[in-house]
Amino acid sequence: FHHLSWRQSIIRTAWFLLVATIYLANRYFVLGRSSQTTPISGSYGQTLIDMLPVVPKYFRLLWGVPPFFIDYSYLPGGCRFWSPEIVTGLALLIALVLAGVIAWRKSGWELAGFGLLWTGLFLLPVSNLLPMLQYMAERFLYLPLIGWLIASAAIISAFHRQSIIRMTAFIVILLWAVTAWNRSWIWRDPVTLFVRSSQDGPHTQRIEDNAVAAIIYLPQVQRFVSGNETNAVRTSANIADGRAALSTLEQAYHLFPTNHVVLSYYGTCLALAGQPEIGLPFLEQAAQLQPQKLGYWLSLARAALDAGQPAPARSALEKATALAGDNPAVLQLRFKFCWQTGDYPAAREIMLRLNQIAPDAGHAYWLSEVEKKLKKTGK
């Protein structure tokens, strides 16, 4: 296009290739590998086959046609080679390659061929030729889109009646602008971004987890949970925080009724707000969903003790003890359970163990209180 010789073009390009080579070498020695991960479909060949269904999706996105998603981890792997999505993607890919070759070789259409070549070359690094963590992402089109627009402009300029073409292009650009403006609002904060994406698009656990994390870290939730580790003192400030936190978590529960993090936080906040008996079912469901999480069993036991329900407290403490019997938090709750149920001999053994593991003036005080109870009961 600039009437340069091949030699001049190669000299100008060589410096960029040198920088790219240095970067790739550095990346390899730092990470110890060129790929991000092992092939996500299990084998290299199957991963490349599973890339074909993304071709129509990229083709649609290049034209700026919704829907748009921030995550495509819902895409399945293991597609059969002759499945409709594979055949469609392969046919479209071949058609685009042929169009680029024909345009490149046809006089007057070189710019369109260059644009298609640009699009293809900038998609190669994200085509899982080197295994990546995902099949596709919309941000991968940032650079290829430049070539696509060059090719589109070259094709449009070849048509007659340019006044009609310009008017059509103006309308298309206006529609793109409106679409982009409307889409941009989803990025105004993490809660909007992840919750809307989780609700509007195909379900992915990654987006649900991000949505839940964004809700949990809202100030009204964190302020109430971190400021109310015990139920001993309630001020007007933390009562107001409690209402705001419960309102937020209730909405989160309706959005994600089976998410263990939401269930745990909702149940915990209900207990902190003085309603442990209402929070118990949520805490129990969270613990059943994630039985290896010690904190869930402790929260359940704590709420059950506060609600005056020794049976679920005993069961939860048994599960917690099986996971980490010498954990100080487990021992403290077991002591509280024995104290409330009047099992002072067991309470004494637990406090002796707790004071041995984590000596503390408070532990010594409660040990003396247990000794007094034992003297009174003659045990």
Side-chain angles (χ1 to χ4, degrees), residues 285-297 319-320 323:
Q285 190 177 352
Q288 294 294 341
L289 288 171
Q290 294 288 324
Q292 297 304 312
K293 284 189 174 290
L294 177 64
Y296 286 3
W297 293 113
K319 299 289 179 56
L323 290 173

Side-chain angles (χ1 to χ4, degrees), residues 1-306:
F1 305 112
H2 299 288
H3 305 290
L4 297 175
S5 67
W6 279 105
R7 182 174 178 276
Q8 290 175 303
S9 299
I10 290 172
I11 291 173
R12 295 189 178 202
T13 305
W15 295 106
F16 293 98
L17 293 177
L18 178 62
V19 171
T21 302
I22 293 172
Y23 165 77
L24 290 174
N26 177 71
R27 186 178 186 276
Y28 177 83
F29 288 116
V30 170
L31 299 181
R33 62 194 300 172
S34 297
S35 61
Q36 288 183 327
T37 181
T38 55
I40 54 178
S41 294
S43 68
Y44 186 72
Q46 184 62 55
T47 301
L48 293 181
I49 291 173
D50 291 335
M51 284 298 297
L52 291 172
V54 312
V55 177
K57 292 180 172 60
Y58 274 145
F59 185 73
R60 170 179 59 80
L61 291 168
L62 284 168
W63 292 106
V65 178
F68 307 118
F69 304 120
I70 65 171
D71 183 79
Y72 284 83
S73 59
Y74 67 88
L75 293 175
C79 299
R80 294 187 176 183
F81 188 78
W82 295 112
S83 60
E85 58 270 24
I86 296 294
V87 173
T88 301
L90 181 60
L92 181 56
L93 179 61
I94 292 173
L96 288 170
V97 171
L98 288 176
V101 171
I102 292 171
W104 184 269
R105 296 172 63 88
K106 188 175 178 64
S107 178
W109 289 86
E110 293 89 353
L111 190 59
F114 172 75
L116 292 174
L117 177 64
W118 176 299
T119 304
L121 288 178
F122 277 107
L123 278 171
L124 279 181
V126 293
S127 62
N128 269 292
L129 290 174
L130 284 177
M132 299 172 54
L133 297 171
Q134 56 221 330
Y135 294 112
M136 69 172 290
E138 290 175 7
R139 65 182 182 276
F140 294 164
L141 287 179
Y142 290 164
L143 282 173
L145 187 58
I146 297 173
W148 187 256
L149 293 175
I150 290 173
S152 300
I155 294 171
I156 289 173
S157 65
F159 286 95
H160 300 294
R161 298 188 177 182
Q162 282 296 306
S163 59
I164 297 177
I165 295 297
R166 291 193 186 98
M167 180 57 66
T168 304
F170 174 77
I171 294 172
V172 170
I173 291 171
L174 185 62
L175 289 173
W176 281 347
V178 172
T179 302
W181 173 264
N182 181 62
R183 177 66 176 172
S184 67
W185 290 104
I186 198 175
W187 295 88
R188 65 178 176 265
D189 59 71
V191 173
T192 303
L193 174 64
F194 293 118
V195 171
R196 276 189 52 185
S197 296
S198 178
Q199 297 300 304
D200 297 343
H203 178 266
T204 68
Q205 192 59 47
R206 176 182 173 184
I207 296 301
E208 179 180 320
D209 291 343
N210 286 343
V212 169
I215 294 170
I216 295 305
Y217 284 102
L218 284 171
Q220 63 267 32
V221 176
Q222 288 299 307
R223 189 164 51 241
F224 181 65
V225 174
S226 62
N228 282 277
E229 295 180 357
T230 67
N231 296 350
V233 179
R234 300 193 183 283
T235 66
S236 58
N238 60 35
I239 289 174
D241 289 340
R243 289 172 183 161
L246 285 175
S247 176
T248 300
L249 290 170
E250 184 178 5
Q251 295 177 56
Y253 171 69
H254 289 305
L255 291 172
F256 309 105
T258 60
N259 187 279
H260 60 92
V261 178
V262 171
L263 290 166
S264 177
Y265 265 83
Y266 190 29
T268 299
C269 280
L270 283 166
L272 291 174
Q275 305 175 70
E277 66 286 346
I278 299 177
L280 277 178
F282 301 103
L283 292 169
E284 185 172 7
Q285 190 177 352
Q288 294 294 341
L289 288 171
Q290 294 288 324
Q292 297 304 312
K293 284 189 174 290
L294 177 64
Y296 286 3
W297 293 113
L298 293 179
S299 296
L300 175 58
R302 192 177 293 111
L305 288 173
D306 291 343

Side-chain angles (χ1 to χ4, degrees), residues 345-356:
R348 181 178 181 276
E349 294 301 320
I350 293 170
M351 188 51 66
L352 284 171
R353 180 60 178 161
L354 181 58
N355 202 34
Q356 180 184 5

